[in-house]
Amino acid sequence: MNDLAIFTVTSGLHDEASVSRLTDDFLKEIFPDGRYDFPGADFSSFGERPLDLIYIRTGGAEGLFLRQLPELLERGARRFLLLTSGKSNSLAASLEILSYLRQKGLSGEVVHGNAETVRRRIGLLMRAEKARRELAGKRIGIIGKPSDWLIASGYDTEAIRKKLGVEVSDIPLEELLAEMKSVAAPEAPALPMKTDISESLPGAMQILEGLRALVRKQGLGALTLRCFDLLTAVRNTGCLALSVLNGEGLPSSCEGDVPALVTMMISKALTGKTGFQANPAHIDVASGEILFAHCTIATDLVDSLTYDTHFESGIGVGLHGHFPEGPVTVFKVSGALDRYFVSEGTLLRNQYEDNLCRTQVILRLPPEDASYFLKDPIANHHIIIPGRHKALIEQFICGLS
């Protein structure tokens, strides 16, 4: 079974042989490799693949689609993708169908254009649908509770479950502390040190192994940690652990920030990278330059790492990483998934000052996007992802409604 299926709706007023020839030519132009399934008018497997296209082959097919619609809804159709060749009045019928769907409060779009445009659009749709499937069934663990200062970073567990298929679970911090006592910590990776934190490394690795054990025990697909409580509980921090877990592909946010974690989960499903959870430290709206900083850079995002202390406390282990310069995307969703921000920009340079969180990067965004942070931000933490992903993220978000 291929990842893509093409179903058809065809008016009986048109000559089937002629329509079939047009269909073959059209699909060969778009999919020269032939990597799709073609159930045609048999909708019994609709919904079984990551992406289904409904090819409205001719004009006059509107009534046939309408008769098919109840079955499609029963099979879980959420969004209708209407493929059209632009021949045999295919586009006109698709526009009539899409207008009807909109009137009924249903969503969809007409996939139309030259072969390259259609192929590129389908590729984007496919990536978004695969990400949705990857997220469905995941479980978030909130270890401890969100930090007290995250007063604008609430979350809606029902919205997260309904829109993403992700469950949210509260896990007392005591469960992590118990797991830490039962595991043996491996040696920390040999890295340069800005400050001598050698005595803190075993404890930081103990936190990492405790989190790994909790992930296995609880079946977690992502986690967020009320990390500042570890300062008093074990006189250490979770920065190293969260950096490593993110680098290994497990979305992990700090401070119990659930909206940031959900953003990282979406980023991972779409791009393969969890991204860098960071907060703005300085903004120049006129130039669009923003300094972001945090102590938990994902190990797979950097080309070098150095051990340092956790910034606020001056104890434990934080990581200073060099995030390669180049194109980046800044992304954030709200805790109810009813707002989002996404902007493409350029990572200009890294810096290091000892009065900030340890990984510090300076980005340039369009000035109008930089002003968002000062006028209507979605809290403080945002996620920085290498590469340009705005169109893909917007496509994914569009599918949540």
Side-chain angles (χ1 to χ4, degrees):
M1 182 181 289
N2 287 294
D3 290 337
L4 169 67
I6 299 174
F7 298 86
T8 61
V9 183
T10 312
S11 169
L13 296 174
H14 292 255
D15 176 66
E16 177 59 34
S18 297
V19 172
S20 293
R21 284 194 298 272
L22 287 173
T23 297
D24 289 343
D25 292 343
F26 176 58
L27 295 181
K28 283 178 182 176
E29 187 178 9
I30 300 173
F31 309 106
D33 57 5
R35 295 181 61 182
Y36 61 88
D37 292 333
F38 189 77
D42 179 3
F43 283 81
S44 61
S45 64
F46 191 90
E48 295 179 2
R49 302 164 184 82
L51 192 66
D52 293 322
L53 298 177
I54 301 175
Y55 178 18
I56 308 300
R57 298 203 294 174
T58 67
E62 297 89 336
L64 294 172
F65 176 87
L66 197 59
R67 288 197 290 273
Q68 190 69 52
L69 184 58
E71 179 186 342
L72 300 180
L73 293 172
E74 188 174 328
R75 297 186 68 84
R78 301 188 338 170
R79 194 158 185 267
F80 298 87
L81 303 174
L82 308 175
L83 179 65
T84 170
S85 66
K87 297 180 179 180
S88 302
N89 282 326
S90 169
L91 179 58
S94 297
L95 298 179
E96 187 75 15
I97 291 169
L98 181 59
S99 296
Y100 175 85
L101 292 171
R102 298 282 190 184
Q103 290 171 8
K104 298 301 178 182
L106 300 170
S107 66
E109 72 170 271
V110 173
V111 181
H112 176 69
N114 62 41
E116 179 57 31
T117 298
V118 171
R119 188 160 46 244
R120 188 166 53 247
R121 183 66 184 146
I122 291 172
L124 202 66
L125 291 164
M126 177 68 76
R127 291 177 67 186
E129 289 300 324
K130 283 187 172 181
R132 263 187 275 281
R133 292 195 173 209
E134 181 179 329
L135 288 168
K138 297 281 188 185
R139 185 177 177 223
I140 288 174
I142 306 174
I143 304 171
K145 294 186 179 298
S147 294
D148 297 341
W149 50 84
L150 295 182
I151 61 173
S153 297
Y155 55 94
D156 184 333
T157 55
E158 180 59 22
I160 294 171
R161 184 197 63 77
K162 183 177 180 181
K163 293 186 177 184
L164 296 179
V166 171
E167 300 293 336
V168 179
S169 301
D170 292 311
I171 301 172
L173 187 66
E174 289 72 22
E175 291 196 28
L176 170 60
L177 299 177
E179 293 294 342
M180 288 168 56
K181 292 178 180 178
S182 66
V183 296
E187 287 191 20
L191 296 173
M193 295 185 187
K194 285 191 179 295
T195 305
D196 185 3
I197 44 82
S198 54
E199 291 185 0
S200 298
L201 278 172
M205 294 302 291
Q206 198 82 24
I207 295 169
L208 171 60
E209 289 306 301
L211 286 171
R212 282 173 169 159
L214 202 56
V215 166
R216 292 190 295 268
K217 184 176 180 179
Q218 298 276 356
L220 302 180
L223 65 87
T224 186
L225 175 64
R226 187 182 172 97
C227 43
F228 276 76
D229 281 10
L230 295 174
L231 294 172
T232 52
V234 295
R235 195 160 174 76
N236 215 312
T237 65
C239 306
L240 175 60
L242 298 176
S243 295
V244 171
L245 291 174
N246 277 312
E248 293 175 345
L250 183 84
S252 305
S253 73
C254 53
E255 302 177 36
D257 191 329
V258 175
L261 178 62
V262 171
T263 307
M264 295 167 83
M265 294 177 73
I266 294 171
S267 167
K268 173 64 168 60
L270 288 172
T271 74
K273 300 288 185 181
T274 60
F276 176 31
Q277 176 188 347
N279 50 267
H282 183 269
I283 299 173
D284 183 340
V285 172
S287 68
E289 289 192 12
I290 306 176
L291 167 61
F292 285 90
H294 229 237
C295 291
T296 55
I297 183 74
T299 57
D300 66 335
L301 294 180
V302 297
D303 52 23
S304 68
L305 282 169
T306 304
Y307 289 129
D308 204 339
T309 57
H310 173 247
F311 163 56
E312 286 89 347
S313 65
I315 66 173
V317 182
L319 286 176
H320 168 66
H322 184 275
F323 197 145
E325 293 80 5
V328 292
T329 301
V330 180
F331 176 38
K332 182 68 180 292
V333 295
S334 67
L337 293 161
D338 57 353
R339 283 189 65 205
Y340 77 99
F341 170 80
V342 63
S343 178
E344 292 177 342
T346 303
L347 197 158
L348 300 175
R349 58 191 179 276
N350 291 244
Q351 70 167 40
Y352 183 82
E353 295 180 3
D354 60 9
N355 62 346
L356 288 171
C357 293
R358 301 316 188 191
T359 297
Q360 304 160 21
V361 295
I362 297 173
L363 276 57
R364 178 180 289 133
L365 300 181
E368 63 272 19
D369 289 348
S371 67
Y372 141 89
F373 290 94
L374 303 181
K375 294 180 178 179
D376 193 22
I378 303 175
N380 70 340
H381 292 135
H382 284 66
I383 310 304
I384 303 170
I385 315 160
R388 301 196 183 280
H389 307 290
K390 183 175 180 179
L392 179 58
I393 287 170
E394 289 183 332
Q395 176 57 51
F396 180 89
I397 297 294
C398 176
L400 298 181
S401 58

